[in-house]
Amino acid sequence: MTKKILIVVGTRPNFVKITQFKKVAKNFPGLEVKIAHTGQHYDEKMSAVFLKQFNIEIDYFLGVSATSANSLIGEIIIALENVIQSYEPDILLCVGDVNSTLAAAISANKLGVKLGHLESGLRSLDRQMPEEVNRILTDEISDICFVTEKSGIENLKQIGKAENQIAFVGNTMIDTLVHFNNEIEASSILEEIALKKGKYILVTMHRPRNVDTKEALLKIIDLFKNITNKHLVVFSMHPRTKNSFEKFNFIGELESINQLKIIEPQNYFAFQKLIKYSFCVITDSGGIQEETTFLKIPCITLRENTERPSTLEEGTNVLMPFNTQKIAETILAITNGNFKNGEVPKFWDGNATKRVLETIQNL
């Protein structure tokens, strides 16, 4: 008898975590995988291009269009109910920590469908982050929790999850990096923007605390003016960040900085090549912390906390407040060879998807 798996995704980070499921499932004759896309992220540059590159076949597109978190979650729950009742999955797999994740979890719970949470147990301990609340609530009602790193196991045990509800499988995002390595290498992005390997700092910034106010943007400008004295900086500007710079009329000042290349958001292959051959990365992203750790690229994360402590304890990531002097000191340490080498965490080996499916097969 075939066991039916419905995977629900909604945003770009979700897509990166599920690229191998349908392919690997072909090695499990008793498993069937279908994918539902809520539509939470759906635009050409930031979403559709990812799906095309990964050749992800979407079986159900919900097409939600809400603007607020509440209405988005509500629309997804209603639309997903029809999909669940039609497909009748044996298990629903929700991914990550976005609003689509929580909505899918609630849908499965209310319809009596077994719920699995991919990337479970991560905690920043900062409930001001919407993602943290989504993680907590989703984990609470999940029947099986798929964990990417050791911290997740302890966090789940603290909320009363039994050992047979916790599966330490590794990081499916790394599966994507491993599988598409040739495509990443084939990207011509370095030639297109005239970059030499190891000779530039890659920067991304999109979190509200870092980009939504005039004061925050002035900090970014000050940082760039400081570090471009010695380094070429490539700034991959998120639409939210660009809108903020335009709102406060700072685009001109930003563009006037020598040794600063401002680029639009890139497709997955191009961006991973930019990470792979950078001198170091400065970011406030979650996923980039993991990608740099796997690639052993120094990463400076401008946040007060991280839900991925393995990147700090084992990997190449450091956490710090947005302080130009501290950032410059860290870059100097990297330059002088006084920065940690880092290790790749357990099960970040390209086989996490296989472990997830083995676990589901044996439920």
Side-chain angles (χ1 to χ4, degrees):
M1 184 176 175
T2 301
K3 186 176 288 186
K4 297 190 289 187
I5 305 166
L6 179 65
I7 302 176
V8 180
V9 294
T11 65
R12 294 175 298 282
N14 291 172
F15 307 152
V16 180
K17 293 161 191 168
I18 58 100
T19 65
Q20 299 305 294
F21 273 89
K22 285 195 174 184
K23 178 184 176 182
V24 176
K26 292 178 181 177
N27 299 319
F28 293 82
L31 297 182
E32 176 182 278
V33 173
K34 288 192 180 292
I35 299 173
H37 178 5
T38 67
Q40 182 175 338
H41 278 181
Y42 197 75
D43 56 82
E44 184 61 35
K45 289 182 180 178
M46 299 291 281
S47 175
V49 67
F50 276 50
L51 297 174
K52 290 175 184 175
Q53 282 194 308
F54 296 143
N55 196 26
I56 295 176
E57 179 188 352
I58 299 299
D59 300 286
Y60 305 99
F61 181 65
L62 307 187
V64 297
S65 57
T67 54
S68 73
N70 281 349
S71 54
L72 178 77
I73 290 170
E75 280 192 25
I76 293 172
I77 290 172
I78 293 168
L80 197 54
E81 180 173 349
N82 295 327
V83 174
I84 292 171
Q85 290 177 337
S86 170
Y87 181 52
E88 297 183 340
D90 295 286
I91 183 169
L92 184 148
L93 195 59
C94 62
V95 184
D97 54 20
V98 296
N99 289 329
S100 292
T101 312
L102 179 59
I106 293 171
S107 294
N109 178 267
K110 295 304 180 184
L111 293 173
V113 176
K114 189 181 292 290
L115 175 64
H117 183 198
L118 189 65
E119 200 182 66
S120 182
L122 298 182
R123 295 291 185 272
S124 67
L125 304 180
D126 179 3
R127 294 203 180 193
Q128 292 185 5
M129 295 177 66
E131 298 91 342
E132 180 76 353
V133 176
N134 291 343
R135 293 180 203 115
I136 292 168
L137 295 177
T138 301
D139 282 341
E140 282 286 352
I141 58 177
S142 291
D143 300 291
I144 180 74
C145 299
F146 296 102
V147 176
T148 60
E149 61 168 82
K150 292 177 182 178
S151 70
I153 300 173
E154 298 308 313
N155 291 333
L156 291 167
K157 285 181 177 179
Q158 287 179 13
I159 65 170
K161 293 295 178 181
E163 286 196 15
N164 64 0
Q165 292 180 291
I166 303 171
F168 184 18
V169 294
N171 196 331
T172 59
M173 184 188 294
I174 303 305
D175 293 12
T176 300
L177 261 180
V178 171
H179 177 78
F180 288 106
N181 181 62
N182 289 341
E183 288 84 352
I184 292 166
E185 282 295 326
S187 169
S188 59
I189 186 65
L190 300 188
E191 293 79 12
E192 288 172 18
I193 55 177
L195 297 177
K196 294 181 179 179
K197 293 179 179 180
K199 299 297 184 181
Y200 60 91
I201 295 173
L202 179 63
V203 180
T204 76
M205 215 80 66
H206 74 279
R207 293 194 179 272
R209 187 175 296 172
N210 287 332
V211 305
D212 276 8
T213 65
K214 180 179 179 180
E215 291 73 24
L217 299 182
L218 288 172
K219 280 186 177 183
I220 294 174
I221 291 170
D222 179 64
L223 172 66
F224 287 161
K225 286 180 176 178
N226 182 288
I227 63 178
T228 51
N229 288 329
K230 295 182 179 179
H231 299 274
L232 175 66
V233 173
V234 177
F235 184 28
S236 180
M237 196 175 343
H238 190 280
R240 181 191 190 107
T241 309
K242 183 178 181 180
N243 290 340
S244 194
F245 270 102
E246 289 175 344
K247 175 184 174 182
F248 291 102
N249 296 315
F250 285 154
I251 283 286
E253 187 168 357
L254 192 67
E255 292 176 340
S256 70
I257 299 173
N258 291 326
Q259 290 282 91
L260 175 66
K261 289 180 181 281
I262 303 170
I263 61 174
E264 292 185 343
Q266 300 296 303
N267 65 56
Y268 179 81
F269 299 153
F271 190 70
Q272 291 306 320
K273 190 161 188 178
L274 286 171
I275 293 176
K276 186 174 184 178
Y277 291 109
S278 65
F279 171 71
C280 73
V281 176
I282 301 174
T283 189
D284 57 11
S285 164
I288 291 174
Q289 298 172 52
E290 296 178 321
E291 290 159 346
T292 50
T293 279
F294 179 74
L295 295 168
K296 295 192 173 183
I297 298 296
C299 182
I300 301 170
T301 300
L302 304 182
R303 285 170 51 179
E304 296 178 357
N305 48 58
T306 179
E307 62 283 351
R308 295 163 166 87
S310 65
T311 65
L312 304 175
E313 298 160 5
E314 302 175 70
T316 53
N317 186 29
V318 291
L319 208 63
M320 65 179 62
F322 201 131
N323 181 292
T324 294
Q325 183 177 344
K326 289 182 181 294
I327 297 167
E329 289 171 357
T330 303
I331 292 171
L332 182 61
I334 297 168
T335 305
N336 294 337
N338 296 324
F339 193 78
K340 59 183 178 177
N341 292 322
E343 297 293 333
V344 178
K346 184 177 180 180
F347 292 155
W348 292 24
D349 57 4
N351 294 308
T353 302
K354 179 183 176 183
R355 296 187 194 98
V356 173
L357 292 175
E358 285 174 342
T359 302
I360 292 174
Q361 187 179 53
N362 296 325
L363 286 176

